[in-house]
Amino acid sequence: MELRQLAAFVAVADERHFGRAAERLGTVQPAVSQLVRRLERELEIVLFDRSSHHVTLTGAGAELLPGARQVLAARDLVAETAAALVRGEQGVLRVGTSEGIGPNLNLLMARFAERRPRAGVRLQALHTPAKLRALRSGELDVAFVRAPAAVSGLRMVQLWTEVLVVVMPEQHPASGETAVALGRLSALPLILGPSSSNPGMRQRLLALCRDRGLEPQLGPPLQDLQEAFGIISAGAAWTLLTEANATPPPVGTVVRAIEGPPATTAIHLAWRASGLSQLARTFVDMATDPITRKPVTHSPH
């Protein structure tokens, strides 16, 4: 059974005339007649009562007609969906995310939804190396990353900057200061995430300490912010975070600016240099457009 046989059957059933059905299908009457007869032979059912004056459905033809319409509707839906995917109007955008970028991410996703209302979005939180591997393997379409290293086969564009702050024990002598010189924290260990979670970000934070005159003593690497906050509130350590990840400060801790020039890190958008879907290309073009993303950029303060 072929789809064109079903199309001929439905057209004749609607028109009650082989000639008009042929015009509707953009073909000739003998071709339509042949398609219907082949379908009847394959199904071993007579679909139409034919006479020189009119064509009517048999009882069997009337029973089969709704099913034939459903098959053709499914064909049309598949064709429409495929065309929408090619145009980038439909599909699922797979996005790798990072902690603390919620407000900016939400704004970008809202703008993307306005442009592609039929598309879905799947967010996945991963450490930076895992996100970059997932991009290269095709498991992610785009990813937001902090302090990324250059990776072959990927492209990256900086989207916005984030201010870095100190999270320290509330009882520390420097906690009453508006901005803290990092050297004031030399007696406490600095706790950071493991290098495996984001080596570039860890190096950025260590370099910042050294630039501000502190060679930090490092505490054990931590996987979880809540664990870090617990150690800090007990007066046993301090850390550096982006403002978004440090606000609001947990009980027993305070968040302070870093003395000196504003210290920042940056969020980049990363994607595959080739083989990008049209849907992902639409998001990349939107997110990297300076005019589009201007309202979500942050200025250091």
Side-chain angles (χ1 to χ4, degrees), residues 221-266:
L222 297 173
Q223 306 286 345
D224 183 81
L225 277 181
Q226 295 308 311
E227 183 183 359
F229 290 147
I231 295 173
I232 294 169
S233 65
W238 67 285
T239 193
L240 292 164
L241 294 174
T242 63
E243 278 187 314
N245 280 328
T247 305
V251 174
T253 71
V254 294
V255 175
R256 296 292 182 260
I258 301 171
E259 185 177 84
T264 63
T265 186

Side-chain angles (χ1 to χ4, degrees), residues 1-3 5-7 9-10 13-14 39 43 47 57 59-76:
M1 184 188 307
E2 300 176 8
L3 288 174
Q5 292 173 325
L6 293 179
F9 167 45
V10 171
D14 289 344
L39 181 60
L43 297 178
L47 298 172
L57 280 165
E63 289 287 334
L64 290 175
L65 183 60
R69 293 193 193 280
Q70 290 177 1
V71 171
L72 295 177
R75 174 203 61 183
D76 294 341

Side-chain angles (χ1 to χ4, degrees), residues 93-228:
L93 182 73
R94 301 162 300 170
V95 182
T97 63
S98 294
E99 287 184 303
I101 65 170
N104 296 281
L105 178 64
N106 292 342
L107 284 171
L108 282 176
M109 289 299 134
R111 292 181 184 139
F112 180 66
E114 291 175 357
R115 294 194 180 189
R116 292 294 182 264
R118 295 170 60 185
V121 176
R122 184 182 303 138
L123 303 179
Q124 188 170 5
L126 297 169
H127 291 317
T128 295
K131 281 188 284 193
L132 299 179
R133 288 194 298 269
L135 285 173
R136 292 193 66 185
S137 68
E139 296 172 67
L140 289 177
D141 298 307
V142 297
F144 295 91
V145 289
R146 289 187 177 96
V151 177
S152 175
L154 299 183
R155 296 189 61 189
M156 301 182 195
V157 169
Q158 179 176 318
L159 296 184
W160 62 79
T161 58
E162 303 175 301
V163 175
L164 293 168
V165 294
V166 170
V167 182
M168 59 191 293
E170 189 176 34
Q171 66 267 37
H172 192 280
S175 64
E177 301 173 8
T178 304
V180 176
L182 295 188
R184 296 286 305 277
L185 302 165
S186 60
L188 288 178
L190 168 65
I191 51 177
L192 300 172
S195 181
S196 60
S197 66
N198 190 342
M201 188 64 180
R202 185 180 173 92
Q203 292 169 11
R204 167 77 183 99
L205 296 178
L206 291 175
L208 171 64
C209 290
R210 293 168 185 139
D211 289 345
R212 301 297 170 93
L214 172 66
E215 185 62 46
Q217 56 169 312
L218 294 176
L222 297 173
Q223 306 286 345
D224 183 81
L225 277 181
Q226 295 308 311
E227 183 183 359

